[in-house]
Amino acid sequence: MAFLLRRLMFYLAAFLVAATINFFLPRMMPGDPIDIMFSSAGSSLTLENLNALKLTFGFIDAPLGQQYLAYLRSVFTGDLGMSIKYFPMPVSELLGRSLIWTVSLVGIATVISFILGTLLGVMAAWKRGSRFDSAVSLLAIFATSIPAVVVALLVLFVFGYELRWFPNGYAADPLIDPAFSWQYIQSVLYHGTLPLVTLVFVLTGGFLVTMRNNMINLLGEDYIVMGRAKGLAERDVMLWYAARNALLPTVSNLAIALGTVLSGSLVVEVVFNYPGLGNTLYQAILARDYPVIQGQLLIMTGAMLVANFVVDLSYVLLDPRLKKA
């Protein structure tokens, strides 16, 4: 319990530091979205209009320290302000809409990749030196070496433009009304196939390589030899003696992957024009929509910290010795 409390306090402190950086970083960048709006409007906006715009978007004309305290208050009350690009939509509503698509797509892709990569890694290590091991290891190195943007563009070109098996963008057919109906669900699955395949291909290699290496390091341990000498079934030795103990570092990889779920899909979402958080962040950066950028960075930071805390809980379950730490 003491171990988990210390970790919880650490994550709360880390979140506060991240929120502080999130506040100061946009203000250190050149340019101001309100000034840009003012300059593009020419003489149609007066100084009074400019001040009204700043007040509307939450830009407080006050010392930096006072702005910082107001920002922290808004963070912990969940008030992320209004989007400049999509005015008058609140940032929380905009990110909430995008969050559903990203979590659905990248969350499913991460879980599939973890299960697939772990199982293939176990089998490759158990059959070390075989044709199966050589084939999946080569595929894993290939998948982890190629940038995600290259895989996404290749998949889009082959299956979207050349073969025309799948749509080239959007999360669903815009002609179908969003509703909990089989027609709409079918359209969502159809449009999400190419982004899902791309993410699964990119993520699986890392889990596979990690699990294979962990297994190989453990296969020479005494308790593995003892298990075989006792005449236990090969499947039991592989799964309960070797794979279980080799799983801890792979769980760490899963935490990193889950933590980056909300940000790691940026490239894939932009390539496939998928309306998730990555695409929203890209559009916000282009428009210098600071409230959206800040809100999304906070969500990404929170997701990473929560994922790591969940992994700490998993460590305690997988390795009971940590309960005494």
Side-chain angles (χ1 to χ4, degrees):
M1 183 59 73
F3 169 77
L4 293 178
L5 286 176
R6 285 198 302 271
R7 301 301 294 171
L8 184 60
M9 295 302 295
F10 167 77
Y11 290 130
L12 287 176
F15 180 78
L16 187 60
V17 171
T20 303
I21 295 174
N22 193 27
F23 170 80
F24 285 103
L25 195 59
R27 286 159 177 79
M28 295 170 62
M29 296 172 62
D32 185 305
I34 302 298
D35 290 339
I36 293 174
M37 293 170 62
F38 182 75
S39 60
S40 61
S43 58
S44 60
L45 279 178
T46 64
L47 186 59
E48 289 74 16
N49 296 136
L50 176 63
N51 292 332
L53 276 175
K54 288 185 176 180
L55 187 62
T56 301
F57 290 114
F59 288 84
I60 302 172
D61 188 14
L64 197 60
Q66 192 172 340
Q67 292 184 38
Y68 176 64
L69 292 177
Y71 163 76
L72 285 182
R73 192 182 307 114
S74 65
V75 167
F76 287 101
T77 56
D79 180 13
L80 301 177
M82 282 188 291
S83 167
I84 295 174
K85 179 178 174 62
Y86 301 98
F87 180 79
M89 183 181 292
V91 172
S92 55
E93 182 181 343
L94 175 65
L95 296 182
R97 293 182 181 182
S98 305
L99 181 66
I100 296 173
W101 294 110
T102 294
V103 170
S104 302
L105 174 67
V106 191
I108 292 173
T110 303
V111 172
I112 293 175
S113 304
F114 175 73
I115 296 173
L116 190 62
T118 300
L119 291 176
L120 289 176
V122 170
M123 296 298 296
W126 198 253
K127 300 180 179 180
R128 185 181 183 185
S130 65
R131 289 183 179 179
F132 176 81
D133 178 30
S134 302
V136 297
S137 297
L138 186 63
L139 185 62
I141 294 173
F142 180 73
T144 53
S145 303
I146 300 179
V149 63
V150 175
V151 179
L153 289 173
L154 186 62
V155 168
L156 179 65
F157 175 74
V158 174
F159 298 102
Y161 288 104
E162 288 296 317
L163 300 177
R164 297 182 181 277
W165 289 355
F166 297 96
N168 301 324
Y170 305 110
D173 189 340
L175 299 178
I176 302 176
D177 292 331
F180 191 70
S181 62
W182 173 241
Q183 186 186 21
Y184 185 69
I185 294 173
Q186 195 175 26
S187 177
V188 170
L189 295 176
Y190 184 47
H191 281 71
T193 300
L194 292 186
L196 182 67
V197 169
T198 302
L199 288 170
V200 169
F201 181 81
V202 171
L203 295 174
T204 299
F207 291 121
L208 194 158
V209 171
T210 303
M211 193 63 190
R212 177 183 179 275
N213 293 340
N214 295 339
M215 280 280 291
I216 289 175
N217 290 333
L218 290 176
L219 289 180
E221 295 290 333
D222 293 340
Y223 63 91
I224 301 291
V225 178
M226 180 64 71
R228 284 174 162 165
K230 289 168 61 178
L232 296 177
E234 287 288 291
R235 187 181 61 181
D236 291 340
V237 176
M238 179 179 68
L239 295 179
W240 299 111
Y241 280 62
R244 181 180 178 183
N245 291 288
L247 198 59
L248 276 178
T250 309
V251 171
S252 298
N253 279 6
L254 176 63
I256 296 172
L258 288 175
T260 56
V261 156
L262 305 183
S263 59
S265 61
L266 191 149
V267 170
V268 174
E269 289 184 0
V270 170
V271 170
F272 291 101
N273 197 19
Y274 200 80
L277 285 174
N279 205 6
T280 301
L281 178 61
Y282 174 70
Q283 299 297 332
I285 291 173
L286 290 180
R288 292 189 179 181
D289 194 342
Y290 289 162
V292 175
I293 296 173
Q294 287 183 322
Q296 179 141 351
L297 291 178
L298 278 177
I299 291 178
M300 290 159 51
T301 303
M304 177 67 78
L305 295 177
V306 169
N308 279 280
F309 184 67
V310 171
V311 168
D312 286 338
L313 293 176
S314 304
Y315 269 28
V316 172
L317 294 176
L318 293 173
D319 189 351
R321 291 173 298 179
L322 289 175
K323 292 179 180 178
K324 300 178 181 178

